[in-house]
Amino acid sequence: MSKSIFYHAGCPVCVSAEHEIINLIGADNVEVVHLGEVRNRIEEAERAGVNSVPALVTTTGNVLHINFGASLADVKG
Amino acid sequence: MSKSIFYHAGCPVCVSAEHEIINLIGADNVEVVHLGEVRNRIEEAERAGVNSVPALVTTTGNVLHINFGASLADVKG
């Protein structure tokens, strides 16, 4: 993929991390996905290896779990 | 501070995260500190709010804990 993807769920730690990530790598280089709003992408995130949000999936497919905001189970619940 | 600081302790997850961070934000924009080798900077990391490594302290002073490699207690031990 051409952009990193930042998955989050709108929690305060997610929003804070989102601002930092955008500052660090630039808004043009990251797609932001709010899994609480775009719930049909939860499965895609799981397949990418995301265990918790916020998480950044890089263009090389590696997953960086950032802090520990909420588990995907919480997002689903 | 003018650069972000990436603290790690040489563990495999740290090295992997380091490569991703450098790819994402550029080697010129991040100082890499190996706390296992530069032990006199552990206190500095703690004061910055680092609870575990790998962690990235941004130029705005926020701490992004990435994955969960090793606690600072382990690094000290």
Side-chain angles (χ1 to χ4, degrees):
Chain A
M1 53 191 158
S2 58
K3 284 187 180 191
S4 299
I5 305 177
F6 180 76
Y7 293 102
H8 74 106
C11 52
V13 68
C14 291
V15 173
S16 168
E18 179 186 339
H19 291 163
E20 293 298 335
I21 292 292
I22 288 176
N23 281 341
L24 287 168
I25 68 179
D28 291 346
N29 298 316
V30 60
E31 178 186 7
V32 175
V33 177
H34 187 323
L35 290 178
E37 293 175 349
V38 193
R39 302 178 66 84
N40 60 2
R41 294 188 65 175
I42 293 178
E43 192 183 329
E44 161 200 305
E46 286 183 316
R47 277 200 308 270
V50 172
N51 293 321
S52 60
V53 288
L56 184 72
V57 179
T58 69
T59 55
T60 54
N62 279 334
V63 183
L64 300 178
H65 292 100
I66 301 165
N67 292 313
F68 189 88
S71 71
L72 282 189
D74 291 336
V75 175
K76 286 178 180 174
Chain B
M1 52 191 160
S2 59
K3 283 187 180 190
S4 299
I5 306 178
F6 180 75
Y7 293 101
H8 73 106
C11 53
V13 68
C14 290
V15 173
S16 168
E18 178 185 339
H19 291 162
E20 293 298 334
I21 292 293
I22 287 177
N23 281 341
L24 286 168
I25 69 179
D28 291 346
N29 298 316
V30 60
E31 178 186 6
V32 175
V33 177
H34 187 323
L35 290 178
E37 294 176 348
V38 193
R39 302 178 66 82
N40 60 2
R41 294 187 66 175
I42 293 178
E43 191 184 329
E44 161 200 307
E46 285 182 317
R47 278 200 307 269
V50 172
N51 294 320
S52 60
V53 288
L56 185 72
V57 179
T58 68
T59 55
T60 54
N62 278 334
V63 183
L64 300 178
H65 292 99
I66 300 165
N67 293 312
F68 189 89
S71 71
L72 282 188
D74 290 338
V75 175
K76 285 179 182 174

